[in-house]
Amino acid sequence: MDLIIEKSWKKKLFNEFNKPYFHALSSFLNLEYKNLQIFPDKSLIFNAFNLCSFDNVKVVILGQDPYHNKNQADGLSFSVPVGEKIPPSLRNIFKEIQNDLGVISPKSGNLQIWAEQGVLLLNSILTVQNGKPASHQFKGWEIFTDKVIELLSNDKKNLVFMLWGNYARDKGLKINRKNHLLIESSHPSPFSAKKSFLGSKQFSRCNNYLELHKKGVINW
């Protein structure tokens, strides 16, 4: 697997890329991409990192795995390419932003503009087979993204981690709560958004924290 990843992340994760589990993951992915339809495109596997360098990270939004339908996955959690229909969870995210900050929901579900401002849109699993959600679970990606979260927690201060749903909350158990703000709620999926996501005002809370620590707010 070609490691098309931004240089600051490549340096931080150098040891990880050389571990046996990652070599096994790479071999698995080479076969998957050769024989099956895998999302996202190879060039977009590390898109979240390429659009948001380690030094620029202010906020982390954790997802689970990429969209498994054609033309949806772009390497950013919850994001879809320009021109694609906005998925239900993302519609609820935009709805909460509008209710919280008064920002009119955009017509596009592409979240690159967030990534470029310092939002790491990180899925726990970075690849998926066409039409088969969680098909690349337990292949090594979870170990890799646990390390990413560990590095961010230990090497940076005053980040905001947005943890939506039980999966994301479990993923964030080892984050240092003394050094960072953790915003936890239900998942924005239509099945759970009303529990504690909608009405949480977490985007203003995020910006207030960033402003307090002189990091510059996110233009949601």
Side-chain angles (χ1 to χ4, degrees):
M1 180 174 63
D2 294 329
L3 290 173
I4 306 170
I5 189 168
E6 188 271 338
K7 61 182 180 180
S8 67
W9 283 109
K10 196 167 190 176
K11 182 178 179 181
K12 284 283 183 182
L13 294 164
F14 179 80
N15 290 334
E16 217 62 19
F17 292 135
N18 288 292
K19 290 182 178 179
Y21 87 86
F22 200 89
H23 288 305
L25 172 63
S26 296
S27 297
F28 166 76
L29 289 173
N30 285 336
L31 286 173
E32 289 282 287
Y33 274 96
K34 182 179 179 180
N35 297 313
L36 300 166
Q37 189 167 29
I38 305 300
F39 303 134
D41 184 83
K42 268 189 177 182
S43 64
L44 296 175
I45 292 175
F46 296 106
N47 199 28
F49 302 90
N50 293 333
L51 292 174
C52 183
S53 70
F54 184 87
D55 292 338
N56 288 343
V57 177
K58 300 178 184 179
V59 181
V60 181
I61 296 179
L62 282 176
Q64 190 163 352
D65 64 345
Y67 296 118
H68 56 272
N69 293 322
K70 192 175 181 180
N71 299 325
Q72 283 190 306
D74 62 3
L76 306 175
S77 61
F78 296 98
S79 175
V80 291
V82 174
E84 288 299 308
K85 183 179 179 181
I86 298 174
S89 292
L90 186 53
R91 282 203 303 270
N92 279 332
I93 293 169
F94 288 158
K95 181 179 179 180
E96 177 57 25
I97 292 172
Q98 183 168 344
N99 291 338
D100 186 9
L101 300 172
V103 176
I104 301 299
S105 296
K107 294 181 180 179
S108 170
N110 182 266
L111 303 182
Q112 181 172 334
I113 191 171
W114 292 3
E116 291 171 344
Q117 294 178 78
V119 182
L120 182 66
L121 294 158
L122 180 66
N123 278 318
S124 174
I125 303 159
L126 301 189
T127 53
V128 70
Q129 196 180 126
N130 180 19
K132 294 186 177 180
S135 50
H136 285 182
Q137 196 173 24
F138 308 131
K139 300 298 184 183
W141 279 130
E142 294 94 335
I143 302 171
F144 176 77
T145 50
D146 278 347
K147 184 62 179 180
V148 170
I149 293 168
E150 179 187 327
L151 284 168
L152 289 166
S153 177
N154 293 342
D155 293 4
K156 294 179 76 74
K157 284 191 175 181
N158 306 130
L159 300 181
V160 179
F161 289 86
M162 291 181 162
L163 308 177
W164 300 335
N166 291 333
Y167 185 92
R169 285 199 290 271
D170 289 345
K171 188 84 172 168
L173 284 175
K174 294 183 180 179
I175 297 169
N176 187 333
R177 292 172 180 260
K178 293 181 179 179
N179 291 340
H180 307 285
L181 173 64
L182 276 66
I183 299 178
E184 299 174 277
S185 74
S186 61
H187 194 275
S189 159
F191 299 106
S192 58
K194 290 182 179 180
K195 291 180 181 177
S196 60
F197 181 82
L198 294 175
S200 61
K201 297 191 178 297
Q202 57 184 283
F203 295 94
S204 58
R205 288 165 60 197
C206 171
N207 275 352
N208 289 341
Y209 182 85
L210 293 175
E211 191 169 33
L212 176 66
H213 294 284
K214 298 179 172 56
K215 284 184 170 287
V217 301
I218 304 298
N219 180 15
W220 300 105

